[in-house]
Amino acid sequence: MTLLDDFRPYVPGLVLLGGGALFATLLGGAVPGLQPLVVAVAVGVAVANTVGVPAVAEPGASLHKLALETGIVLLGAAIALEELVAAGPTVLGLVVVAVAGGLLLSEAVARGLFRIEGTTPSLLAAGASVCGVSAVVAVGRVLEARGAALTFAAATVLLFDAVTLVAFPLAGEWLGLTGRQFGVWAGLSMFSTGPVAAAGFAHSVEAGQWATVTKLARNSLLGGVAIAYSVAYAARSATEPEARELWAEFPKFLLGFLLVAAIANAGVLSPAAIESVTAVSDGLFLVAFVGLGLSIRVRELRAVGLAPVGVVLIHLLVVSALTLAAVRALL
Amino acid sequence: MTDEDDDGAIAGGAGDDTDDVAAGADGDETRLSRRWRALDRGWQALCLGLAIVAAHLVIYPV
């Protein structure tokens, strides 16, 4: 067995992702105003919901998440740390308030208004407030949630990922937000990192960078939120909160993003190198967004129940309205 | 539905599905491949990203 043999199963899927990315680049370049990243998601959705993803391409197509995270690590090269540090405290403050407020809001709406019981309200709250399905899974693991509750919560979050991916860039355009305002707003309000980055870059490069950075700050709270839930459910949960658990939930690639940002801002990379690294990052985002589109199955999204949709819709409307007011006033 | 946990990913550990690829799961793979699979996706992204930056440092010296 050689490395080449190990790599072979991934080739068909990578060709599919690469072909989609190439098509998106060509079409985006040919039609003025059309963002290649948006085309990439659309291509993925079209393929997945018409011909479907061939089984032979699934191993390679699953690498889109790795492409997204590696693209984010490399995005660090394009980030001006001075600007980040200047806006950092405000954005971090907004992130903490949005996550904490969002968790409390969703819990209250789910239990008080929709009378949903068990762990489902917590799964919905974590998914909507922190970082999508991974938060649902992480909190579900801590709370030992049932498989059905996990599935419903995850499907609800994913339904909103698909909707907000289209709605946010349109809203940002309509509201006349600057790139930074839109990026931070999307990073605070939307759920999963892929759609957040895609929506940000659909607006502008600056918005994409701010959306990604803001979302990363939100994601980094996942470990703390999982442990807070573990403590809150202590009577039911068999697991004890530990520092090890906090570390297990921490998004390690965030360290890579910070490291690359530090390297680039230290002047170690030449302008040509930064330009090339940024181009590689853009390419990885394209590939990742084709994969994101491939993972959206419209038929499965229709199966989501009305109560979870109601909870997450109220969360989204309230949080996005408040954070919109905040970014307009503060940024 | 989408299996995009974007964040799934994001969590690195949580919802991490680096091992969701069946190929080679039978132990019939190189040691490097085994070690690579043992890493969670967050670490894999960090390693790949730093390797790409290192390559650029060599190709485009300051």
Side-chain angles (χ1 to χ4, degrees):
Chain A
M1 195 80 173
T2 65
L3 269 179
L4 208 61
D5 294 325
D6 289 337
F7 189 68
R8 194 162 291 140
Y10 300 96
V11 172
L14 289 174
V15 169
L16 180 63
L17 294 179
L22 183 64
F23 175 75
T25 307
L26 294 174
L27 190 61
V31 181
L34 197 58
Q35 288 282 348
L37 290 171
V38 177
V39 179
V41 178
V43 166
V45 172
V47 170
N49 292 279
T50 51
V51 292
V53 181
V56 70
E58 278 173 7
S62 73
L63 292 179
H64 74 273
K65 294 170 192 167
L66 177 61
L68 175 72
E69 294 182 7
T70 308
I72 291 174
V73 169
L74 296 177
L75 186 65
I79 298 293
L81 277 185
E82 282 174 21
E83 202 181 332
L84 198 61
V85 168
T90 307
V91 173
L92 276 183
L94 286 171
V95 164
V96 172
V97 171
V99 169
L103 286 170
L104 294 174
L105 173 71
S106 288
E107 289 277 0
V109 170
R111 294 182 195 280
L113 195 61
F114 288 92
R115 305 283 174 204
I116 302 175
E117 293 180 348
T119 54
T120 303
S122 304
L123 301 180
L124 291 172
S129 304
V130 191
C131 54
V133 174
S134 63
V136 172
V137 172
V139 171
R141 198 168 51 192
V142 170
L143 304 186
E144 296 175 345
R146 288 178 302 114
L150 277 171
T151 306
F152 272 115
T156 308
V157 167
L158 294 169
L159 171 67
F160 278 88
D161 277 343
V163 173
T164 52
L165 180 58
V166 177
F168 264 68
L170 293 174
E173 199 72 33
W174 181 65
L175 292 165
L177 298 177
T178 66
R180 185 161 77 162
Q181 285 175 330
F182 178 74
V184 174
W185 181 48
L188 289 170
S189 313
M190 291 174 64
F191 302 158
S192 297
T193 305
V196 167
F201 282 108
H203 181 281
S204 62
V205 173
E206 187 192 12
Q209 291 173 352
W210 277 105
T212 307
V213 169
T214 307
K215 190 65 184 58
L216 290 183
R218 241 172 95 196
N219 295 347
S220 67
L221 298 180
L222 176 58
V225 169
I227 286 180
Y229 267 118
S230 174
V231 171
Y233 278 74
R236 271 183 264 177
S237 173
T239 54
E240 291 293 322
E242 292 175 13
R244 196 156 40 93
E245 202 158 341
L246 184 69
W247 175 242
E249 308 302 349
F250 185 81
K252 281 84 178 179
F253 71 94
L254 179 61
L255 301 175
F257 168 82
L258 294 173
L259 207 54
V260 172
I263 291 170
N265 283 268
V268 179
L269 286 170
S270 66
I274 290 178
E275 196 179 327
S276 178
V277 168
T278 307
V280 175
S281 173
D282 291 346
L284 287 169
F285 272 120
L286 264 179
V287 165
F289 291 166
V290 174
L292 169 65
L294 286 176
S295 68
I296 294 176
R297 306 282 152 73
V298 174
R299 196 171 34 178
E300 291 175 35
L301 292 179
R302 287 197 198 128
V304 177
L306 282 180
V309 169
V311 173
V312 177
L313 180 62
I314 291 174
H315 170 104
L316 180 68
L317 292 176
V318 173
V319 171
S320 59
L322 293 177
T323 52
L324 175 63
V327 297
R328 276 190 148 158
L330 300 172
L331 297 175
Chain B
M1 165 177 342
T2 143
D3 58 8
E4 163 60 34
D5 51 2
D6 98 29
D7 310 12
I10 287 328
D16 188 55
D17 45 9
T18 45
D19 54 353
D20 60 2
V21 178
D26 55 3
D28 188 20
E29 56 187 351
T30 60
R31 186 196 281 183
L32 181 64
S33 175
R34 239 186 345 264
R35 287 191 172 177
W36 179 253
R37 282 169 180 281
L39 290 174
D40 89 21
R41 195 168 57 239
W43 285 123
Q44 289 179 341
L46 188 152
C47 294
L48 268 180
L50 290 182
I52 292 168
V53 169
H56 280 80
L57 277 169
V58 175
I59 298 168
Y60 302 99
V62 179

